[in-house]
Structures are given as C-alpha cells and as structure tokens.
Amino acid sequence: MRAGKRICPNFLLYFIEIQIKKILAGLCICAGLLSGCDQIPESGLQVSPLEKILDTGKITLITKNNANCYYQYRDRYMGFEYELAQAFADYLGVQLDVVIAETREDMKKALKEEPAAFIGAGLHLSSISGKEVLFSNPYLRVRPHVLARWDNASVRGAPDLTGKNVYVPQGSHYVSVLESLRKNGINLGIVSVPDADEEELIRQVADGKIDLTLADEHMALLHRRYYPRTVIKDAVGEEIPIAWAVRPDAQKLVRRMNAFFRTVKNSSLFSDIYNRYYAEVPPFDFDQAEHFLQIASENLPLYYPLIRKAAEEYGFDWHLIAAQIYQESHFNSQARSPAGAVGLMQIVRPTGKSLNITDLTDPRKNIEAGVRYLRDLYNFFDRAEGNDRLRIALAAYNIGQGHILDARNIARSRGLDPDKWSSLAQTLPLLQHEEYHKNALYGYCRGIEPVEYVTNVMFYSGMLSRRDIFGPDTVAESQETVE
C-alpha cells in the first residue's frame, strides 16, 4: 500500500529548514540545562504537521472503503481519492499510508490522533465545521442530478418531480437539496433511506425497485458504468465544492495541497485520474446479443487457433474462453482498462509477472496467461463442484480471489453453502454495503459486477456453442468439460 519515495524539487529546502529548527531546539534545551531549567519553555519551537510528514517520510490518507474513495480490485488498490492522494504523496516525495474510517466522526477522531494525515473522502465543505478542520481549496465542484431508469420519460429535471417520491440516503446533503426544492414550490416526496448510499439507490433505480434518486454528477457517472439502465437527468440544486481536510494547525500542509492542486490541474494528471473513474460511458446496448454475434463473427476467427490451443491445454471449453475474451475486451488486443488491465483477457501486470509473462499485448501470451490464471483459480476453489466451481473461478477472475473468500464467509454466516454459486451470487452484492464490508478482510467491492460478469460469460458461451461463427467447414467439435 506504500509508494516508493521520490524527492520533489522543494523537498531539500524543507529538509534543511527542519534540520535547522532541530538544531535551534537543541540549543534551547542546552541553554535550559545550563540555567538550571529542566523543561523547554512553552514558547519553544513546535513541529508542524507538514514538517512531521517530511521528517518521517510518510503521510496518512483518512478515507472511506467504497467505489469512489478506496478499494481493492484484482489485487490492485484503486479509487479516485486514493489515486489523487498517491499523486500528492509523490509530489511531497513521501510514502502514503491509508486509514479507513466509516463515519465523519471516525475521520475527525483519526485526524486528531494523527497530525501527519488528511481526510480525502469526497467531503463537501459544509460537511464538517470549519472550527474542527481546515479545508484545502476545492478540487471538484459538482451539482446533484436526478437519476431515473432508462424507460422513465416523465422526468427530466426539478419541475417534473412534483407529485413524485425521490429516494436519498438518510442524513445526506441530498435531503437539504430536496427540501430547498420544496420551499421553491415543487411538491415532491422525500424518502430518506437509512443505511443506504448513492450506489445502492442507483442500483435500485436500475432494477426498477424505486423510480428516482439524486447523486452528485461525478458519483452518477461513476456508478452508471455498472448500472447502465440508469439515465442521468438534469442538475438540481447549487454547485457544491469538494475538498480535503486537515487539522486546524496544518496551515503549511494546506498551502502545499493548494500548490499541488494548481500543479496537477495545469497538467494532464488530474484529468487522467478523473476520467478513469468518471468519464462518460455510452448508453446501455439493449441489443447486446446481436452486438456480441457481430463482434464475434468479425474478430473471433483471428484468435480462434490461439483460444482453442490454450483452452485444450488447460481443460476448458473454447467457447467459454472466447466468451470471456469478449466480455473482457471485445476482442481488442490493445485494450487497457482504468485498473491497468491489458489485452484480450485484461491481465494486470502483477498477475502477468507472477505467470512469468511480460508482453501482455502479445495475443498468444495474453490468452495463455488468462486461461492459465483461470485454471489456477479453478484449482484453488476445489471444494466446489461442476458448474458451481467454474462460475466461482470466473467471478474470482473478475473481482479478485480475496473478495470471493469474503463472500464465502458471509455465506457461512447466513447458513448458505459457500461452495454453491447461487450462495455467492447472493452474498457478493452485500459487500457493497458498509455493514458487511467493514468486517470483511478485503473490504469493499462492487459485488454486483462479478455476478453480472458470470451471467454474461455463460450467456455468450451458450450462444457461441449454438452458432456457427466460422461457417460449416471450419469448426465441428463438441463442447469440452473442465476436469
């Protein structure tokens, strides 16, 4: 979780300043001893939070374990706040530690206990009193948007909310946004949902369980990637600034933060991190079956020999591997994901390195690495059987082995069989909720994603096994089973 130390241009100046102050402090001690005093005067030099950070070579990010801030995906730490904090640590030339806090009160307590720290958790400037913390300059300004299901044409913006219920997390700033709309004459219903966050309510909109919710623009864009049946409607309410928070005595640290934000916003770094999480995604393709067949018919013949060879070597049905490649990359050998996954089977570099494969853009090596990794996961979950074992291995390929272990533990606690995919399909989505992921070894994960991943791969595999992609003279074999 720690980054390697890198020296920034101003680091040596601060280092020299700290050393000088240490020498002066030492002289004060000596003077006190010579005069018979055994304590440093109250007016003696104090080390500021920034000086402590530079002196110890590390800074602590206090954040949340969720999709926006910090989470583990395929053995890599991710999250917009985490990546931005890592860039700040690099800017200072220090290492980054992470502390997870569940509530704002927990964050304030952690900040009080650790001077060399800051809160980076998507905080609105109004979320904590200015007497308790010192805020940086805002690095984002967002507005809440209405979110509805794709087939809800009756709502575009605030005026259309009259007579409708809007569901928002209990205690969130969205409640005050809706109350302001009421004061302005829009007679809407406000439903405050306890123990829910933006992601959970967006999921319920996508599933048709509720009609409407609110989400800040960046959060709406983040979660729409995974719930594409939602549509982002017009903005409501005023623009909201988002900033980092430090202790009230950390003025030097805030100044350095503000200089960092100016620097990264003048380069492409901030926009690169932002786009990895919040860039707009195309609308959901409801003709996905036809789309799959079109892409497969155009691209699968290029890679069929490599897929067939790797599938036979590791004991899988080639239709399954081809379906997985489509799900991962749409047969694009140059594909790169926001998580750093590469190639046809979207292999992350640590996984490739563990398999002694370095050139992940080579289709042959990439396919071999992906199928071999899937086989390793299949071997690992050897207590499951048949299709359950295969589906669990696919889910682990998508979300990471650790999150599957957490889901299995939840299954046991709920009296479910941890070796059945039907059990994990129920418990994986629970890891999106704080009451479950706060006690999980591997923390938050977007558990609905591996469930949909497995469903899609098996669906595409079934389609391939029933369609003649290559023509009548090219392929004529039966499906193979994993042994």
Side-chain angles (χ1 to χ4, degrees), residues 35 83 106 149-150 166 200 285 387 418 439:
S35 63
E83 289 205 35
D106 291 337
R149 204 174 131 91
W150 68 273
V166 183
E200 169 60 20
D285 185 358
N387 283 332
N439 297 317

Side-chain angles (χ1 to χ4, degrees), residues 67-68 71 217-226 276-279 446:
N68 181 57
Y71 62 98
E217 182 180 13
H218 66 307
M219 299 299 288
L221 290 170
L222 172 67
H223 294 304
R224 188 176 173 275
R225 291 174 177 266
Y226 305 99
R276 271 199 287 277
Y277 295 93
Y278 311 130
R446 188 179 289 101

Side-chain angles (χ1 to χ4, degrees), residues 331-401:
F331 294 101
N332 178 5
S333 63
Q334 302 303 310
R336 292 179 182 271
S337 79
V342 177
L344 291 167
M345 298 200 73
Q346 292 290 276
I347 308 297
V348 293
R349 296 199 181 279
T351 299
K353 185 177 181 180
S354 71
L355 299 172
N356 295 319
I357 295 177
T358 55
D359 186 5
L360 295 174
T361 61
D362 182 317
R364 180 183 64 80
K365 293 180 180 179
N366 191 283
I367 291 172
E368 179 186 353
V371 180
R372 182 175 157 195
Y373 179 53
L374 181 64
R375 183 72 210 198
D376 288 345
L377 293 168
Y378 185 86
N379 291 343
F380 181 82
F381 293 104
D382 58 353
R383 296 189 62 175
E385 298 179 353
N387 283 332
D388 287 312
R389 186 177 178 186
L390 179 59
R391 284 167 168 80
I392 292 171
L394 284 169
Y397 189 104
N398 171 252
I399 203 68
Q401 181 176 304

Side-chain angles (χ1 to χ4, degrees), residues 145-147 161 164-170 172 174-175 178 188-194 196-198 200-202 204-205 208-215:
H145 283 251
V146 178
L147 272 78
L161 298 179
K164 296 180 172 62
N165 287 328
V166 183
Y167 294 74
V168 292
Q170 188 178 68
S172 68
Y174 303 120
V175 175
L178 294 176
L188 55 84
I190 304 174
V191 183
S192 295
V193 184
D197 56 15
E198 291 103 331
E200 169 60 20
L201 296 180
I202 291 171
Q204 291 189 30
V205 168
K209 295 180 179 178
I210 61 176
D211 290 330
L212 302 167
T213 189
L214 292 188

Side-chain angles (χ1 to χ4, degrees), residues 310-325:
E312 288 181 344
E313 181 176 354
Y314 292 101
F316 291 105
D317 173 11
W318 75 263
H319 299 101
L320 177 84
I321 302 304
Q324 189 180 11
I325 289 174

Side-chain angles (χ1 to χ4, degrees), residues 219-470:
M219 299 299 288
L221 290 170
L222 172 67
H223 294 304
R224 188 176 173 275
R225 291 174 177 266
Y226 305 99
Y227 306 102
R229 289 182 175 86
T230 56
V231 176
I232 303 172
K233 304 286 188 174
D234 291 346
V236 296
E238 300 297 324
E239 192 174 65
I240 301 170
I242 295 176
W244 284 345
V246 299
R247 290 160 55 110
D249 62 345
Q251 295 91 345
K252 289 183 179 180
L253 179 57
V254 160
R255 287 197 291 271
R256 190 61 70 89
M257 282 180 175
N258 294 339
F260 163 72
F261 288 135
R262 288 193 298 270
T263 299
V264 296
K265 288 196 172 185
N266 287 332
S267 70
S268 63
L269 180 58
F270 184 87
S271 60
D272 288 345
I273 297 173
Y274 181 92
N275 289 333
R276 271 199 287 277
Y277 295 93
Y278 311 130
E280 181 62 278
V281 295
F284 180 72
D285 185 358
F286 290 100
D287 297 321
Q288 59 179 339
E290 289 300 321
H291 185 254
F292 164 68
L293 289 174
Q294 178 184 347
I295 297 295
S297 63
E298 292 173 357
N299 295 277
L300 182 52
L302 299 174
Y303 304 111
Y304 169 71
L306 301 177
I307 294 171
R308 174 73 182 272
K309 182 178 183 297
E312 288 181 344
E313 181 176 354
Y314 292 101
F316 291 105
D317 173 11
W318 75 263
H319 299 101
L320 177 84
I321 302 304
Q324 189 180 11
I325 289 174
Y326 173 81
Q327 179 68 24
E328 290 285 350
S329 68
H330 284 208
F331 294 101
N332 178 5
S333 63
Q334 302 303 310
R336 292 179 182 271
S337 79
V342 177
L344 291 167
M345 298 200 73
Q346 292 290 276
I347 308 297
V348 293
R349 296 199 181 279
T351 299
K353 185 177 181 180
S354 71
L355 299 172
N356 295 319
I357 295 177
T358 55
D359 186 5
L360 295 174
T361 61
D362 182 317
R364 180 183 64 80
K365 293 180 180 179
N366 191 283
I367 291 172
E368 179 186 353
V371 180
R372 182 175 157 195
Y373 179 53
L374 181 64
R375 183 72 210 198
D376 288 345
L377 293 168
Y378 185 86
N379 291 343
F380 181 82
F381 293 104
D382 58 353
R383 296 189 62 175
E385 298 179 353
N387 283 332
D388 287 312
R389 186 177 178 186
L390 179 59
R391 284 167 168 80
I392 292 171
L394 284 169
Y397 189 104
N398 171 252
I399 203 68
Q401 181 176 304
H403 293 308
I404 301 299
L405 296 177
D406 284 340
R408 285 166 58 86
N409 288 335
I410 296 174
R412 291 188 189 95
S413 71
R414 295 167 69 91
L416 301 173
D417 187 344
D419 297 316
K420 295 292 185 184
W421 172 243
S422 59
S423 300
L424 302 192
Q426 295 180 53
T427 58
L428 274 165
L430 297 178
L431 290 168
Q432 297 169 184
H433 306 299
E434 186 176 304
E435 64 177 298
Y436 290 96
H437 70 64
K438 70 181 180 182
N439 297 317
L441 181 61
Y442 294 90
Y444 170 91
C445 82
R446 188 179 289 101
I448 192 65
E449 184 182 342
V451 177
E452 293 179 348
Y453 179 91
V454 171
T455 299
N456 288 345
V457 170
M458 300 308 294
F459 173 70
Y460 296 139
S461 177
M463 288 187 67
L464 276 180
S465 68
R466 292 168 177 81
R467 298 291 186 107
D468 192 356
I469 296 295
F470 303 103

